[in-house]
Amino acid sequence: MTRALLSLGSNLGDRLAHLRSAVDSLGGAVLMTSGVYETPPWGDADQPAYLNAVVLAGDPAAAPRDWLERARAAERRAGRERDPGRRFGPRTLDVDVVAVWGPDDEPVLSDDPELTLPHPRAHLRAFVLRPWIDIQPYGRLPGHGWLTDLLNAEPVAGDALELSPRPDLALESSA
């Protein structure tokens, strides 16, 4: 079985519905979902706040590229349009493949520009690390270390203070 950690984010339209649609699109592959966090925009501050969460998914037949295709399919279903002139712009749904583990539970490493594993900026993003800690408190980001250490290191620690847990929102299926 391969497992993948996917980061979900939305800041346009019905943000929670977009996150739920991503979870729904993964179906029975979903193993765990984090809590939902409201976060300021990252990389481009001139846009609305995000809702963020992570999902741990597993599928005995999935290869790393399959997780990327599932992520892109979920984005398309949410009406995601990529603006090539605005790298960190607003979006209905963003699904990133953060890490993948193979059948032997070893992390998959990839320097493919289309699917770099682990995600090259995950260690810098409180909106990935904090929700991930919800589901794996003793988790490690391959090649970078313990999630809690990464979350407490600069420059991430400052960003972590700006995350707002949203216990009033949950990723359970909307169906």
Side-chain angles (χ1 to χ4, degrees), residues 40-61:
W42 193 92
D44 181 345
D46 188 24
Q47 57 184 307
Y50 278 82
L51 288 183
N52 289 99
V54 301
V55 174
L56 182 65
D59 183 336

Side-chain angles (χ1 to χ4, degrees), residues 24-47:
D24 290 347
S25 74
L26 293 167
V30 174
L31 302 173
M32 288 190 261
T33 60
S34 73
V36 175
Y37 291 80
E38 191 151 21
T39 65
W42 193 92
D44 181 345
D46 188 24
Q47 57 184 307

Side-chain angles (χ1 to χ4, degrees), residues 17 20 33 36 47 52 58 68 112 115 118 120 124 129 152 154 163:
R20 285 179 175 162
T33 60
V36 175
Q47 57 184 307
N52 289 99
L68 178 62
D112 181 328
L115 180 62
L124 299 172
L129 300 170
N152 290 313
E154 287 301 328
L163 271 68

Side-chain angles (χ1 to χ4, degrees), residues 95-174:
V95 181
D96 286 335
V97 180
V98 175
V100 175
W101 296 267
D104 55 1
D105 211 30
E106 287 296 316
V108 174
L109 305 177
S110 170
D111 60 2
D112 181 328
E114 207 172 1
L115 180 62
T116 304
L117 293 172
H119 189 286
R121 290 172 299 283
H123 67 288
L124 299 172
R125 294 181 170 172
F127 64 84
V128 171
L129 300 170
R130 181 61 196 96
W132 189 355
I133 290 169
D134 283 357
I135 60 175
Q136 291 187 322
Y138 300 103
R140 294 177 65 114
L141 177 61
H144 293 279
W146 298 103
L147 301 177
T148 51
D149 290 345
L150 296 171
L151 187 64
N152 290 313
E154 287 301 328
V156 180
D159 291 344
L161 296 175
E162 296 184 31
L163 271 68
S164 299
R166 293 293 307 267
D168 56 314
L169 305 177
L171 290 182
E172 283 84 29
S173 173
S174 57

